[in-house]
Amino acid sequence: MSKIKGTIILGFLLLIAVFSNAQQSRVTAAYAFLQQSKLDSAKANIDAAVVHPETQTDGQAWYIRGFVYKTIYNQNEKGNKQSSARIEALVSFKKSVSIDPSEENTQENIKNIKYLATTLYNDAAASLDTIDYKIAIKNFDLFREYYLLVDPSKENFKQKEIDFSNAMGSVYTRIYDGDRKVRQEFLVLAKASYNKVLAIDPNNISANYNMGILYYNQAVHLINQSDYDLDIVALNDVQDNSINLFKSSLPFMEKAYSLDPNRRETLLGLSGIYFSLNEKEKSNEFKQKLEQIGNK
Amino acid sequence: MKKLLFIFVSVLLLSSWMLVPADQSEEANAKIKAIYIYNFTKYIEWPGTYKEGNFVVGVLGTSVPLVNELNKMAGSKTVGTQKFEIKTVATAAECAKCHIVYILSDNSKQLPDVIGKVKGKSPLIVTDKSGLATKGSGINFFIDGNKQKIELNRTNIEKYKLKVASTLVEMSVQIK
Protein backbone atom coordinates (compact mmCIF):
# COMPACT_ATOMS: atom_id res chain seq x y z
CA MET A 1 0.00 0.00 0.00
CA SER A 2 2.76 2.34 0.99
CA LYS A 3 4.55 1.48 -2.29
CA ILE A 4 1.49 2.58 -4.28
CA LYS A 5 1.22 5.75 -2.22
CA GLY A 6 4.91 6.51 -2.88
CA THR A 7 4.45 5.98 -6.60
CA ILE A 8 1.50 8.39 -6.71
CA ILE A 9 3.48 11.09 -4.89
CA LEU A 10 6.48 10.55 -7.18
CA GLY A 11 4.22 10.76 -10.23
CA PHE A 12 2.66 13.94 -8.94
CA LEU A 13 6.08 15.52 -8.36
CA LEU A 14 7.15 14.48 -11.84
CA LEU A 15 4.03 16.11 -13.30
CA ILE A 16 4.82 19.34 -11.50
CA ALA A 17 8.41 19.23 -12.73
CA VAL A 18 7.32 18.63 -16.33
CA PHE A 19 4.74 21.40 -16.16
CA SER A 20 7.25 23.73 -14.58
CA ASN A 21 9.75 22.91 -17.28
CA ALA A 22 7.01 23.57 -19.81
CA GLN A 23 6.66 27.11 -18.46
CA GLN A 24 10.42 27.59 -18.44
CA SER A 25 10.56 26.34 -21.98
CA ARG A 26 7.94 28.95 -22.93
CA VAL A 27 10.35 31.61 -21.66
CA THR A 28 13.20 30.00 -23.58
CA ALA A 29 11.02 29.70 -26.69
CA ALA A 30 9.99 33.34 -26.44
CA TYR A 31 13.64 34.33 -26.33
CA ALA A 32 14.42 32.13 -29.34
CA PHE A 33 11.51 33.59 -31.32
CA LEU A 34 12.67 37.05 -30.39
CA GLN A 35 16.13 36.31 -31.79
CA GLN A 36 14.50 35.09 -35.00
CA SER A 37 12.39 38.30 -35.12
CA LYS A 38 9.22 36.22 -34.87
CA LEU A 39 7.64 38.74 -32.60
CA ASP A 40 4.07 37.39 -32.59
CA SER A 41 5.25 33.96 -31.42
CA ALA A 42 7.65 35.50 -28.90
CA LYS A 43 4.79 37.60 -27.53
CA ALA A 44 2.36 34.66 -27.29
CA ASN A 45 4.86 32.51 -25.39
CA ILE A 46 6.07 35.16 -22.98
CA ASP A 47 2.55 36.46 -22.25
CA ALA A 48 1.50 32.92 -21.33
CA ALA A 49 4.59 32.41 -19.16
CA VAL A 50 4.17 35.53 -17.03
CA VAL A 51 0.61 34.73 -16.05
CA HIS A 52 1.38 31.17 -14.99
CA PRO A 53 1.99 30.69 -11.25
CA GLU A 54 5.28 28.90 -11.92
CA THR A 55 6.87 31.77 -13.81
CA GLN A 56 4.87 34.83 -12.84
CA THR A 57 7.46 35.65 -10.22
CA ASP A 58 10.42 34.90 -12.45
CA GLY A 59 12.43 38.09 -12.94
CA GLN A 60 14.05 36.68 -16.06
CA ALA A 61 10.64 35.97 -17.65
CA TRP A 62 9.54 39.57 -17.06
CA TYR A 63 12.85 40.85 -18.40
CA ILE A 64 12.39 38.81 -21.60
CA ARG A 65 8.83 40.13 -21.87
CA GLY A 66 10.13 43.68 -21.55
CA PHE A 67 12.62 42.97 -24.29
CA VAL A 68 9.98 41.43 -26.57
CA TYR A 69 7.68 44.44 -26.21
CA LYS A 70 10.53 46.91 -26.53
CA THR A 71 11.41 45.24 -29.83
CA ILE A 72 7.78 45.41 -30.96
CA TYR A 73 7.79 49.13 -30.10
CA ASN A 74 11.04 49.77 -31.95
CA GLN A 75 10.03 47.81 -35.02
CA ASN A 76 6.31 48.53 -35.33
CA GLU A 77 5.25 51.43 -33.12
CA LYS A 78 8.13 53.89 -33.03
CA GLY A 79 6.08 56.68 -34.62
CA ASN A 80 3.10 56.02 -32.38
CA LYS A 81 3.12 58.47 -29.47
CA GLN A 82 0.58 56.29 -27.66
CA SER A 83 2.33 52.97 -28.26
CA SER A 84 0.88 50.24 -26.04
CA ALA A 85 3.94 48.03 -26.64
CA ARG A 86 6.15 50.66 -25.03
CA ILE A 87 3.92 50.70 -21.94
CA GLU A 88 3.94 46.88 -21.76
CA ALA A 89 7.73 46.90 -22.03
CA LEU A 90 8.05 49.44 -19.22
CA VAL A 91 5.61 47.55 -16.99
CA SER A 92 7.61 44.36 -17.59
CA PHE A 93 11.02 45.87 -16.86
CA LYS A 94 9.60 47.47 -13.73
CA LYS A 95 8.16 44.14 -12.59
CA SER A 96 11.47 42.42 -13.29
CA VAL A 97 13.32 44.96 -11.10
CA SER A 98 10.87 44.43 -8.26
CA ILE A 99 11.17 40.62 -8.42
CA ASP A 100 14.89 40.20 -8.98
CA PRO A 101 16.97 42.80 -7.21
CA SER A 102 20.31 41.29 -8.33
CA GLU A 103 22.69 43.93 -9.61
CA GLU A 104 23.11 42.45 -13.06
CA ASN A 105 19.37 42.18 -13.64
CA THR A 106 18.64 45.61 -12.20
CA GLN A 107 21.26 47.32 -14.38
CA GLU A 108 19.83 45.80 -17.55
CA ASN A 109 16.26 46.66 -16.61
CA ILE A 110 17.17 50.21 -15.65
CA LYS A 111 19.04 50.74 -18.89
CA ASN A 112 15.93 49.74 -20.82
CA ILE A 113 13.56 51.78 -18.63
CA LYS A 114 15.78 54.84 -19.17
CA TYR A 115 15.72 54.35 -22.89
CA LEU A 116 11.94 53.96 -23.09
CA ALA A 117 11.31 56.80 -20.62
CA THR A 118 13.40 59.05 -22.83
CA THR A 119 11.20 58.23 -25.81
CA LEU A 120 8.15 59.14 -23.70
CA TYR A 121 9.79 62.46 -22.81
CA ASN A 122 10.55 63.15 -26.43
CA ASP A 123 7.00 62.27 -27.50
CA ALA A 124 5.61 64.51 -24.76
CA ALA A 125 7.66 67.38 -26.19
CA ALA A 126 6.54 66.61 -29.73
CA SER A 127 2.89 66.69 -28.60
CA LEU A 128 3.06 70.11 -26.97
CA ASP A 129 0.49 71.79 -29.14
CA THR A 130 -3.16 72.76 -28.96
CA ILE A 131 -4.27 69.49 -30.60
CA ASP A 132 -2.18 66.76 -28.96
CA TYR A 133 -1.61 68.31 -25.54
CA LYS A 134 -3.48 65.50 -23.75
CA ILE A 135 -1.01 62.99 -25.22
CA ALA A 136 1.79 65.24 -23.98
CA ILE A 137 0.38 65.17 -20.45
CA LYS A 138 -0.11 61.40 -20.51
CA ASN A 139 3.40 60.76 -21.79
CA PHE A 140 4.97 63.19 -19.36
CA ASP A 141 3.11 61.58 -16.44
CA LEU A 142 4.45 58.18 -17.54
CA PHE A 143 7.90 59.66 -18.04
CA ARG A 144 7.76 61.06 -14.50
CA GLU A 145 6.70 57.68 -13.07
CA TYR A 146 9.53 55.76 -14.75
CA TYR A 147 12.17 58.45 -14.43
CA LEU A 148 11.64 58.56 -10.66
CA LEU A 149 11.89 54.78 -10.60
CA VAL A 150 15.43 54.87 -11.94
CA ASP A 151 16.40 58.19 -10.32
CA PRO A 152 14.26 58.69 -7.20
CA SER A 153 15.83 62.08 -6.44
CA LYS A 154 12.97 64.53 -6.93
CA GLU A 155 15.53 67.32 -6.98
CA ASN A 156 16.87 66.08 -10.32
CA PHE A 157 13.37 66.01 -11.74
CA LYS A 158 12.45 69.56 -10.72
CA GLN A 159 13.76 71.28 -13.84
CA LYS A 160 11.89 68.87 -16.11
CA GLU A 161 8.67 69.50 -14.18
CA ILE A 162 9.23 73.26 -14.47
CA ASP A 163 9.95 73.12 -18.20
CA PHE A 164 6.93 70.97 -18.89
CA SER A 165 4.53 73.03 -16.75
CA ASN A 166 5.73 76.25 -18.35
CA ALA A 167 5.19 74.75 -21.78
CA MET A 168 1.72 73.50 -20.80
CA GLY A 169 0.86 76.98 -19.50
CA SER A 170 1.76 78.31 -22.91
CA VAL A 171 -0.31 75.66 -24.71
CA TYR A 172 -3.37 76.33 -22.50
CA THR A 173 -2.98 80.06 -23.12
CA ARG A 174 -2.94 79.52 -26.89
CA ILE A 175 -6.12 77.42 -26.64
CA TYR A 176 -7.78 80.09 -24.47
CA ASP A 177 -6.73 82.86 -26.85
CA GLY A 178 -8.43 80.97 -29.69
CA ASP A 179 -11.87 81.70 -28.21
CA ARG A 180 -11.83 83.50 -24.89
CA LYS A 181 -15.59 83.46 -24.43
CA VAL A 182 -16.06 79.70 -24.48
CA ARG A 183 -12.64 78.49 -23.34
CA GLN A 184 -12.48 80.07 -19.90
CA GLU A 185 -11.37 76.80 -18.31
CA PHE A 186 -8.10 76.96 -20.25
CA LEU A 187 -7.28 80.27 -18.60
CA VAL A 188 -7.72 78.54 -15.25
CA LEU A 189 -5.52 75.66 -16.43
CA ALA A 190 -2.85 78.06 -17.69
CA LYS A 191 -2.74 79.84 -14.34
CA ALA A 192 -2.60 76.48 -12.54
CA SER A 193 0.38 75.44 -14.70
CA TYR A 194 2.33 78.60 -13.89
CA ASN A 195 1.37 78.33 -10.22
CA LYS A 196 2.77 74.81 -10.24
CA VAL A 197 6.08 76.16 -11.53
CA LEU A 198 6.10 78.97 -8.97
CA ALA A 199 5.41 76.51 -6.15
CA ILE A 200 8.59 74.67 -7.15
CA ASP A 201 10.62 77.75 -8.03
CA PRO A 202 9.22 81.15 -7.00
CA ASN A 203 12.07 82.81 -8.92
CA ASN A 204 11.23 81.30 -12.28
CA ILE A 205 11.26 84.30 -14.61
CA SER A 206 9.20 82.76 -17.37
CA ALA A 207 6.36 81.67 -15.06
CA ASN A 208 6.31 85.04 -13.28
CA TYR A 209 6.27 86.93 -16.56
CA ASN A 210 3.63 84.71 -18.17
CA MET A 211 1.41 84.83 -15.09
CA GLY A 212 1.67 88.62 -15.18
CA ILE A 213 0.77 88.66 -18.86
CA LEU A 214 -2.21 86.36 -18.31
CA TYR A 215 -3.74 88.77 -15.79
CA TYR A 216 -2.77 91.76 -17.92
CA ASN A 217 -4.36 90.33 -21.09
CA GLN A 218 -7.44 89.33 -19.12
CA ALA A 219 -7.83 92.94 -17.93
CA VAL A 220 -7.30 94.40 -21.40
CA HIS A 221 -9.72 91.91 -22.92
CA LEU A 222 -12.36 92.82 -20.34
CA ILE A 223 -12.19 96.44 -21.47
CA ASN A 224 -11.88 95.77 -25.19
CA GLN A 225 -14.85 93.41 -25.32
CA SER A 226 -17.12 96.08 -23.79
CA ASP A 227 -19.70 97.59 -26.09
CA TYR A 228 -19.79 101.32 -26.74
CA ASP A 229 -23.37 101.23 -25.45
CA LEU A 230 -22.19 100.45 -21.94
CA ASP A 231 -23.54 103.05 -19.53
CA ILE A 232 -21.20 104.87 -17.19
CA VAL A 233 -22.20 102.86 -14.11
CA ALA A 234 -21.46 99.59 -15.92
CA LEU A 235 -18.26 101.10 -17.30
CA ASN A 236 -17.20 101.84 -13.72
CA ASP A 237 -17.70 98.17 -12.86
CA VAL A 238 -15.61 97.13 -15.88
CA GLN A 239 -12.91 99.53 -14.77
CA ASP A 240 -13.00 98.20 -11.19
CA ASN A 241 -12.64 94.62 -12.39
CA SER A 242 -9.91 95.42 -14.86
CA ILE A 243 -7.99 97.44 -12.26
CA ASN A 244 -8.09 94.44 -9.93
CA LEU A 245 -6.69 92.27 -12.72
CA PHE A 246 -3.97 94.81 -13.55
CA LYS A 247 -3.08 94.88 -9.87
CA SER A 248 -2.96 91.07 -9.80
CA SER A 249 -0.61 91.19 -12.76
CA LEU A 250 1.78 93.67 -11.17
CA PRO A 251 3.57 91.55 -8.51
CA PHE A 252 4.37 88.82 -11.04
CA MET A 253 5.73 91.30 -13.57
CA GLU A 254 7.67 93.18 -10.87
CA LYS A 255 9.20 89.88 -9.77
CA ALA A 256 10.19 89.01 -13.34
CA TYR A 257 11.72 92.48 -13.64
CA SER A 258 13.70 92.08 -10.40
CA LEU A 259 15.08 88.79 -11.70
CA ASP A 260 16.11 90.22 -15.07
CA PRO A 261 15.88 94.02 -15.25
CA ASN A 262 16.99 94.20 -18.87
CA ARG A 263 14.42 91.94 -20.43
CA ARG A 264 12.47 93.88 -23.06
CA GLU A 265 9.21 91.95 -22.64
CA THR A 266 9.11 92.66 -18.91
CA LEU A 267 9.79 96.38 -19.36
CA LEU A 268 7.07 96.54 -21.98
CA GLY A 269 4.69 94.66 -19.67
CA LEU A 270 5.36 96.96 -16.71
CA SER A 271 5.00 100.05 -18.86
CA GLY A 272 1.62 98.72 -20.04
CA ILE A 273 0.38 97.77 -16.57
CA TYR A 274 1.25 101.16 -15.06
CA PHE A 275 -0.27 102.94 -18.06
CA SER A 276 -3.47 100.98 -17.53
CA LEU A 277 -3.46 101.83 -13.85
CA ASN A 278 -3.21 105.44 -14.97
CA GLU A 279 0.18 105.81 -13.30
CA LYS A 280 1.70 107.53 -16.30
CA GLU A 281 4.98 108.58 -14.64
CA LYS A 282 5.87 105.01 -13.72
CA SER A 283 4.76 103.83 -17.13
CA ASN A 284 7.07 106.36 -18.79
CA GLU A 285 9.90 105.31 -16.48
CA PHE A 286 9.77 101.76 -17.86
CA LYS A 287 9.24 103.02 -21.40
CA GLN A 288 12.45 105.03 -21.07
CA LYS A 289 14.33 102.00 -19.76
CA LEU A 290 13.04 100.09 -22.75
CA GLU A 291 14.31 102.79 -25.10
CA GLN A 292 17.70 102.78 -23.36
CA ILE A 293 17.98 99.05 -23.90
CA GLY A 294 16.93 99.51 -27.52
CA ASN A 295 19.72 102.02 -28.02
CA LYS A 296 22.41 99.70 -26.66
CA MET B 1 19.11 60.97 -23.31
CA LYS B 2 20.96 64.29 -23.38
CA LYS B 3 20.31 64.74 -27.08
CA LEU B 4 16.59 64.19 -26.60
CA LEU B 5 16.48 66.57 -23.64
CA PHE B 6 18.05 69.23 -25.82
CA ILE B 7 15.27 68.89 -28.37
CA PHE B 8 12.65 69.22 -25.64
CA VAL B 9 14.16 72.33 -24.08
CA SER B 10 14.40 73.98 -27.50
CA VAL B 11 10.69 73.45 -28.06
CA LEU B 12 9.92 74.95 -24.65
CA LEU B 13 12.08 78.00 -25.14
CA LEU B 14 10.34 78.74 -28.40
CA SER B 15 6.91 78.51 -26.87
CA SER B 16 7.02 79.83 -23.34
CA TRP B 17 7.30 83.65 -23.64
CA MET B 18 4.15 85.42 -24.65
CA LEU B 19 4.41 88.85 -26.22
CA VAL B 20 2.42 91.96 -25.44
CA PRO B 21 1.65 94.31 -28.32
CA ALA B 22 3.16 97.68 -27.33
CA ASP B 23 -0.02 99.71 -27.66
CA GLN B 24 -2.47 97.27 -26.05
CA SER B 25 -2.78 99.33 -22.87
CA GLU B 26 -3.22 102.54 -24.86
CA GLU B 27 -5.96 100.89 -26.90
CA ALA B 28 -7.78 99.83 -23.74
CA ASN B 29 -7.49 103.33 -22.33
CA ALA B 30 -8.81 104.73 -25.61
CA LYS B 31 -11.73 102.30 -25.51
CA ILE B 32 -12.79 103.62 -22.10
CA LYS B 33 -12.66 107.19 -23.42
CA ALA B 34 -14.66 106.21 -26.52
CA ILE B 35 -17.37 104.61 -24.35
CA TYR B 36 -17.56 107.82 -22.31
CA ILE B 37 -17.79 109.94 -25.47
CA TYR B 38 -20.58 107.78 -26.85
CA ASN B 39 -22.38 108.20 -23.52
CA PHE B 40 -22.06 111.98 -23.84
CA THR B 41 -24.01 111.81 -27.09
CA LYS B 42 -26.82 109.95 -25.30
CA TYR B 43 -27.12 112.33 -22.36
CA ILE B 44 -26.51 115.69 -24.04
CA GLU B 45 -28.83 117.33 -26.53
CA TRP B 46 -27.53 119.64 -29.24
CA PRO B 47 -29.63 122.45 -30.77
CA GLY B 48 -31.81 121.60 -33.78
CA THR B 49 -29.34 123.07 -36.28
CA TYR B 50 -26.79 120.48 -35.12
CA LYS B 51 -29.08 117.55 -35.83
CA GLU B 52 -28.38 117.43 -39.54
CA GLY B 53 -25.37 116.11 -41.41
CA ASN B 54 -22.64 114.15 -39.70
CA PHE B 55 -22.04 114.22 -35.98
CA VAL B 56 -18.48 115.55 -35.88
CA VAL B 57 -16.04 114.62 -33.12
CA GLY B 58 -12.85 116.64 -33.42
CA VAL B 59 -9.71 115.51 -31.65
CA LEU B 60 -7.28 118.35 -31.04
CA GLY B 61 -3.85 116.76 -30.81
CA THR B 62 -2.35 113.45 -31.81
CA SER B 63 -3.45 110.10 -30.42
CA VAL B 64 -3.52 107.28 -32.91
CA PRO B 65 -5.13 104.75 -30.52
CA LEU B 66 -7.93 107.18 -29.60
CA VAL B 67 -8.68 108.18 -33.18
CA ASN B 68 -8.64 104.51 -34.21
CA GLU B 69 -11.02 103.63 -31.39
CA LEU B 70 -13.37 106.52 -32.22
CA ASN B 71 -13.36 105.41 -35.86
CA LYS B 72 -14.31 101.89 -34.74
CA MET B 73 -17.15 103.39 -32.74
CA ALA B 74 -18.17 105.45 -35.79
CA GLY B 75 -18.35 102.26 -37.82
CA SER B 76 -21.02 100.72 -35.60
CA LYS B 77 -22.86 103.57 -33.89
CA THR B 78 -24.81 106.68 -34.81
CA VAL B 79 -26.30 109.61 -32.94
CA GLY B 80 -29.96 109.27 -33.87
CA THR B 81 -29.84 109.36 -37.65
CA GLN B 82 -26.50 111.15 -37.77
CA LYS B 83 -23.35 109.29 -38.71
CA PHE B 84 -20.22 109.92 -36.73
CA GLU B 85 -17.35 111.74 -38.38
CA ILE B 86 -14.04 111.62 -36.53
CA LYS B 87 -11.59 114.41 -37.36
CA THR B 88 -8.12 115.13 -36.14
CA VAL B 89 -7.97 118.91 -35.85
CA ALA B 90 -4.75 120.86 -35.78
CA THR B 91 -5.99 124.36 -34.96
CA ALA B 92 -8.56 125.90 -32.66
CA ALA B 93 -10.33 127.42 -35.69
CA GLU B 94 -11.25 123.95 -36.98
CA CYS B 95 -13.08 123.19 -33.72
CA ALA B 96 -15.94 125.54 -34.59
CA LYS B 97 -17.49 122.92 -36.88
CA CYS B 98 -17.48 120.11 -34.30
CA HIS B 99 -20.24 118.73 -32.07
CA ILE B 100 -17.64 117.49 -29.62
CA VAL B 101 -14.16 118.92 -29.30
CA TYR B 102 -11.79 116.65 -27.38
CA ILE B 103 -8.63 118.53 -26.42
CA LEU B 104 -5.91 115.99 -25.60
CA SER B 105 -3.83 116.65 -22.48
CA ASP B 106 -0.73 117.65 -24.49
CA ASN B 107 -2.81 120.34 -26.21
CA SER B 108 -4.50 121.67 -23.07
CA LYS B 109 -2.90 125.08 -23.49
CA GLN B 110 -5.09 125.59 -26.56
CA LEU B 111 -8.28 125.57 -24.46
CA PRO B 112 -8.55 129.40 -24.32
CA ASP B 113 -8.05 129.59 -28.11
CA VAL B 114 -10.75 126.99 -28.66
CA ILE B 115 -13.15 128.83 -26.36
CA GLY B 116 -12.45 132.00 -28.35
CA LYS B 117 -13.11 130.33 -31.70
CA VAL B 118 -16.37 128.57 -30.79
CA LYS B 119 -18.27 131.61 -29.54
CA GLY B 120 -21.84 131.45 -30.82
CA LYS B 121 -21.46 127.76 -31.68
CA SER B 122 -22.54 124.66 -29.73
CA PRO B 123 -19.69 122.31 -29.15
CA LEU B 124 -19.23 120.15 -26.10
CA ILE B 125 -15.67 120.86 -24.99
CA VAL B 126 -13.99 117.82 -23.44
CA THR B 127 -10.56 118.06 -21.85
CA ASP B 128 -8.09 115.70 -20.24
CA LYS B 129 -6.14 117.62 -17.64
CA SER B 130 -6.73 118.34 -13.98
CA GLY B 131 -8.45 121.68 -13.27
CA LEU B 132 -9.72 122.43 -16.79
CA ALA B 133 -13.38 122.04 -15.86
CA THR B 134 -13.00 125.28 -13.94
CA LYS B 135 -11.35 126.96 -16.92
CA GLY B 136 -14.00 126.55 -19.56
CA SER B 137 -14.28 122.89 -20.42
CA GLY B 138 -17.67 121.17 -20.11
CA ILE B 139 -16.39 117.72 -19.24
CA ASN B 140 -12.92 116.90 -18.02
CA PHE B 141 -11.40 113.42 -17.69
CA PHE B 142 -9.50 112.80 -14.47
CA ILE B 143 -8.01 109.88 -12.57
CA ASP B 144 -9.35 108.75 -9.21
CA GLY B 145 -7.95 105.62 -7.59
CA ASN B 146 -6.50 104.31 -10.87
CA LYS B 147 -9.90 104.82 -12.46
CA GLN B 148 -10.87 107.06 -15.34
CA LYS B 149 -13.67 109.38 -14.21
CA ILE B 150 -15.29 112.56 -15.43
CA GLU B 151 -15.96 115.90 -13.85
CA LEU B 152 -18.73 118.00 -15.31
CA ASN B 153 -19.29 121.76 -15.27
CA ARG B 154 -22.95 122.22 -16.13
CA THR B 155 -22.58 125.96 -16.65
CA ASN B 156 -19.79 125.44 -19.16
CA ILE B 157 -21.98 123.02 -21.07
CA GLU B 158 -25.20 124.98 -21.04
CA LYS B 159 -23.63 128.26 -22.12
CA TYR B 160 -23.21 126.66 -25.55
CA LYS B 161 -26.99 125.96 -25.72
CA LEU B 162 -26.53 122.28 -24.93
CA LYS B 163 -28.95 120.43 -22.62
CA VAL B 164 -27.43 117.95 -20.24
CA ALA B 165 -29.47 115.11 -18.71
CA SER B 166 -29.49 114.89 -14.94
CA THR B 167 -28.40 111.23 -15.25
CA LEU B 168 -25.05 112.31 -16.67
CA VAL B 169 -24.71 115.00 -14.02
CA GLU B 170 -25.34 112.42 -11.30
CA MET B 171 -22.73 110.05 -12.72
CA SER B 172 -20.10 112.79 -12.78
CA VAL B 173 -18.18 114.77 -10.24
CA GLN B 174 -19.85 118.15 -10.44
CA ILE B 175 -17.73 121.29 -10.77
CA LYS B 176 -19.18 124.70 -10.27
Side-chain angles (χ1 to χ4, degrees):
Chain A
M1 188 65 180
S2 64
K3 232 180 191 178
I4 294 167
K5 202 177 177 182
T7 309
I8 290 170
I9 291 169
L10 188 64
F12 187 68
L13 285 173
L14 267 171
L15 258 177
I16 291 173
V18 166
F19 203 73
S20 176
N21 277 337
Q23 293 311 313
Q24 281 302 335
S25 64
R26 275 190 184 277
V27 176
T28 310
Y31 186 62
F33 283 128
L34 176 65
Q35 286 183 318
Q36 295 161 32
S37 288
K38 292 178 178 171
L39 297 178
D40 286 343
S41 303
K43 180 172 168 282
N45 276 281
I46 201 66
D47 280 348
V50 295
V51 292
H52 193 275
E54 287 301 319
T55 40
Q56 69 181 7
T57 54
D58 180 353
Q60 191 64 16
W62 282 101
Y63 172 72
I64 300 287
R65 186 172 188 269
F67 224 90
V68 168
Y69 276 96
K70 177 186 151 189
T71 309
I72 293 171
Y73 164 70
N74 277 334
Q75 287 190 7
N76 305 334
E77 298 182 14
K78 200 72 184 264
N80 179 1
K81 290 171 190 159
Q82 300 179 88
S83 161
S84 56
R86 174 168 57 189
I87 306 298
E88 287 301 320
L90 280 163
V91 166
S92 302
F93 289 126
K94 183 181 175 183
K95 181 87 176 172
S96 180
V97 171
S98 70
I99 293 170
D100 181 358
S102 69
E103 195 175 328
E104 191 188 345
N105 179 63
T106 302
Q107 271 182 7
E108 273 304 304
N109 279 308
I110 282 178
K111 198 172 88 183
N112 284 297
I113 290 172
K114 268 187 182 171
Y115 165 75
L116 291 168
T118 304
T119 65
L120 282 169
Y121 188 60
N122 211 27
D123 280 349
S127 310
L128 276 168
D129 56 48
T130 55
I131 309 292
D132 285 339
Y133 68 95
K134 284 183 182 171
I135 296 173
I137 295 169
K138 202 173 170 185
N139 280 338
F140 190 79
D141 285 346
L142 282 166
F143 168 69
R144 182 194 293 109
E145 178 187 341
Y146 286 98
Y147 182 93
L148 292 175
L149 189 75
V150 296
D151 182 1
S153 160
K154 288 194 174 166
E155 197 61 34
N156 292 343
F157 196 75
K158 265 186 184 176
Q159 193 54 47
K160 293 172 185 64
E161 197 79 75
I162 286 171
D163 290 342
F164 185 73
S165 296
N166 264 333
M168 278 312 299
S170 175
V171 169
Y172 287 137
T173 304
R174 286 207 297 275
I175 298 173
Y176 167 66
D177 284 343
D179 191 343
R180 292 180 180 182
K181 270 186 189 168
V182 297
R183 295 179 187 166
Q184 285 287 325
E185 76 268 26
F186 288 97
L187 175 64
V188 177
L189 287 169
K191 285 181 183 171
S193 296
Y194 294 128
N195 270 328
K196 190 173 180 181
V197 174
L198 294 172
I200 300 169
D201 175 16
N203 290 331
N204 186 277
I205 301 180
S206 181
N208 274 296
Y209 170 81
N210 284 328
M211 194 67 135
I213 288 297
L214 274 183
Y215 279 111
Y216 174 81
N217 283 343
Q218 208 183 339
V220 168
H221 179 64
L222 192 63
I223 295 167
N224 285 341
Q225 71 167 1
S226 300
D227 194 86
Y228 298 106
D229 271 326
L230 207 65
D231 68 40
I232 292 174
V233 175
L235 178 61
N236 273 333
D237 290 342
V238 168
Q239 285 200 77
D240 285 338
N241 291 332
S242 66
I243 286 165
N244 285 338
L245 289 165
F246 284 125
K247 284 182 175 174
S248 298
S249 160
L250 196 53
F252 293 107
M253 201 60 83
E254 290 276 18
K255 180 79 176 182
Y257 171 67
S258 72
L259 294 164
D260 184 358
N262 292 321
R263 189 135 204 166
R264 292 183 59 84
E265 293 93 336
T266 317
L267 292 169
L268 195 60
L270 280 171
S271 169
I273 294 167
Y274 280 117
F275 186 92
S276 303
L277 288 171
N278 290 302
E279 294 186 34
K280 302 289 157 58
E281 274 184 27
K282 279 192 173 178
S283 173
N284 287 335
E285 199 181 299
F286 287 105
K287 207 177 267 182
Q288 279 166 13
K289 282 181 186 169
L290 190 63
E291 282 163 11
Q292 283 165 8
I293 285 173
N295 294 335
K296 278 181 187 173
Chain B
M1 184 84 165
K2 274 182 184 169
K3 196 177 176 186
L4 293 167
L5 285 178
F6 176 72
I7 293 165
F8 187 59
V9 169
S10 300
V11 171
L12 297 174
L13 286 177
L14 281 172
S15 64
S16 63
W17 280 73
M18 291 181 270
L19 293 174
V20 196
D23 56 356
Q24 211 177 22
S25 50
E26 292 183 27
E27 280 173 9
N29 184 275
K31 178 75 185 257
I32 292 170
K33 299 258 175 72
I35 293 172
Y36 267 118
I37 287 169
Y38 186 61
N39 268 278
F40 301 158
T41 69
K42 290 191 286 185
Y43 295 113
I44 290 175
E45 193 181 340
W46 275 259
T49 51
Y50 276 71
K51 289 179 181 173
E52 287 173 0
N54 289 340
F55 188 98
V56 182
V57 178
V59 178
L60 182 58
T62 308
S63 171
V64 174
L66 180 71
V67 170
N68 285 346
E69 197 56 54
L70 290 173
N71 276 319
K72 272 192 220 169
M73 177 188 75
S76 62
K77 299 290 173 191
T78 57
V79 183
T81 57
Q82 290 175 284
K83 286 182 180 173
F84 273 108
E85 182 184 336
I86 312 302
K87 283 170 64 174
T88 299
V89 291
T91 62
E94 294 174 70
C95 298
K97 295 170 189 168
C98 299
H99 291 71
I100 295 177
V101 176
Y102 181 5
I103 305 173
L104 296 176
S105 58
D106 287 347
N107 295 68
S108 297
K109 283 181 184 168
Q110 289 179 265
L111 176 61
D113 291 344
V114 172
I115 291 169
K117 296 287 180 188
V118 297
K119 270 182 190 162
K121 306 284 180 183
S122 293
L124 170 68
I125 299 173
V126 179
T127 51
D128 204 349
K129 193 166 190 177
S130 174
L132 294 190
T134 58
K135 291 180 180 167
S137 114
I139 293 178
N140 185 51
F141 284 113
F142 74 106
I143 305 302
D144 179 27
N146 302 114
K147 201 191 290 188
Q148 189 74 67
K149 287 187 178 175
I150 51 169
E151 47 192 17
L152 182 147
N153 187 323
R154 193 168 194 159
T155 309
N156 286 347
I157 295 175
E158 290 178 343
K159 72 180 173 191
Y160 293 103
K161 300 179 195 120
L162 303 174
K163 286 181 187 167
V164 56
S166 56
T167 315
L168 183 62
V169 177
E170 284 160 15
M171 288 187 290
S172 315
V173 173
Q174 294 174 57
I175 303 291
K176 288 178 181 173

